[in-house]
Amino acid sequence: MSATSKQSAMTADDIRARKGNQPIVSLTAYTTPMARLMDRHCDFVLVGDSLGMVMHGLPSTLGVTMEMMILHGQAVSRGLDHAMLVIDMPFGSYEEGPQQAFRNAARLMAETGAAAVKLEGGVEMAETIRFLVARGIPVMAHIGLTPQSVNTLGGYKVQGRDEQGDLVLADAQAVADAGAFSVVLEKVPQRLADQITAEVSIPTIGIGASAGCDGQILVVDDMLGFFTAFKAKFVKRYADLGDSAEAAIAEYAAEVRAREFPAAEHVFGDQAPKQSTKK
């Protein structure tokens, strides 16, 4: 892969400029075909570390590696011409300190052509975000429910209820002040999401937050009905392709066992078909 970022219609500055304007549209993607389907409809496409659960059957995102993110990032990059490519930094690749974060973020961008990285954390990650931005790496922040911290958060709970709301607001202000160009708000109360959107200078991207956020993101396998292990409250299923795919597979299996497939039109004869000589 080229050491330079892939050129796209959208940039981090474009996303930042959408604050308070037309809502920002985003989905996750992990493969080239899916990226091609969403390229003209999304402003940015995220290669999320959710790929550990969605694509690899892991129980959480904690087992995702840099190599996995790079592999799927390269695949998604091949399918994008218009949407901006953002890639998650996996657990353990940035928490140690700014220098570690820079090395791994630079590697992600160099080997995939991504235009930005996303990392989880608020106040405690502000120094790292500032370090990365100062060195040319656009950062999308992620606060509220941060799945990489599931063990310390006590599960996949709503974040920011009651007095915790001030802490989430402080996180949002910290990442904005540090130079993040946008911030994902995951699984926070609607009123808090609206407050953060009104008070911070960068776009908010909601997932289980509020329609008042500056944009929205969903895991594509959730909204298409491919991932069926569980369904979060904030997910709307726009299709049930998992059920359709299983039905198609069952029909194929039945036809193979009944020797109905392949049929005559799917096999080859001993003689090549004659070519027409008519003009």
Side-chain angles (χ1 to χ4, degrees):
M1 295 294 294
S2 168
T4 58
S5 293
K6 184 173 182 176
Q7 295 300 309
S8 65
M10 295 294 292
T11 67
D13 286 342
D14 293 329
I15 296 295
R16 183 193 291 270
R18 294 277 285 276
K19 175 71 180 179
N21 296 310
Q22 184 181 38
I24 299 160
V25 179
S26 177
L27 288 167
T28 65
Y30 318 109
T31 65
T32 304
M34 193 65 76
R36 286 175 177 153
L37 290 175
M38 63 181 68
D39 184 33
R40 290 185 177 273
H41 303 284
C42 291
D43 298 303
F44 74 88
V45 170
L46 173 69
V47 181
D49 60 359
S50 50
L51 65 85
M53 303 172 73
V54 172
M55 301 295 295
H56 296 274
L58 298 177
S60 72
T61 63
L62 299 183
V64 174
T65 65
M66 280 286 292
E67 287 69 28
M68 292 164 70
M69 297 307 302
I70 290 169
L71 178 66
H72 288 276
Q74 290 171 344
V76 170
S77 179
R78 296 182 192 110
L80 298 181
D81 290 315
H82 302 279
M84 175 182 168
L85 176 60
V86 182
I87 300 185
D88 265 341
M89 297 194 68
F91 178 69
S93 69
Y94 61 94
E95 294 91 341
E96 185 178 331
Q99 289 78 14
Q100 181 209 27
F102 177 78
R103 288 193 301 272
N104 286 316
R107 182 186 173 196
L108 274 179
M109 293 180 69
E111 295 190 31
T112 66
V117 299
K118 180 170 77 65
L119 57 81
E120 296 182 7
V123 171
E124 73 280 9
M125 283 295 122
E127 178 186 358
T128 293
I129 293 171
R130 185 173 289 108
F131 188 91
L132 295 180
V133 172
R135 286 155 180 79
I137 296 179
V139 177
M140 177 179 291
H142 182 157
I143 64 172
L145 173 62
T146 48
Q148 293 176 9
S149 302
V150 62
N151 290 328
T152 56
L153 293 177
Y156 297 96
K157 301 176 180 178
V158 174
Q159 301 295 309
R161 284 179 170 151
D162 301 322
E163 67 277 1
Q164 284 188 336
D166 290 339
L167 298 177
V168 178
L169 177 59
D171 282 338
Q173 292 169 333
V175 299
D177 291 344
F181 69 90
S182 59
V183 56
V184 172
L185 306 181
E186 181 167 357
K187 213 167 183 180
V188 300
Q190 180 176 337
R191 182 180 298 181
L192 176 60
D194 289 340
Q195 180 184 1
I196 292 172
T197 300
E199 294 188 13
V200 300
S201 60
I202 58 176
T204 56
I205 311 296
I207 177 167
S210 169
C213 290
D214 296 296
Q216 302 293 328
I217 187 168
L218 283 176
V219 172
V220 69
D221 291 70
D222 284 341
M223 58 89 71
L224 291 179
F226 280 123
F227 184 77
T228 58
F230 60 86
K231 177 181 174 292
K233 174 182 171 64
F234 56 77
V235 172
K236 178 178 178 179
R237 288 245 166 93
Y238 286 82
D240 287 304
L241 300 187
D243 290 343
S244 298
E246 185 175 4
I249 292 167
E251 183 178 0
Y252 162 74
E255 289 190 3
V256 169
R257 293 185 176 112
R259 297 192 183 279
E260 295 174 357
F261 177 84
E265 64 266 30
H266 305 122
V267 296
F268 302 94
D270 292 335
Q271 300 294 325
K274 292 181 179 181
Q275 299 294 324
S276 174
T277 58
K278 293 182 179 180
K279 293 184 179 180

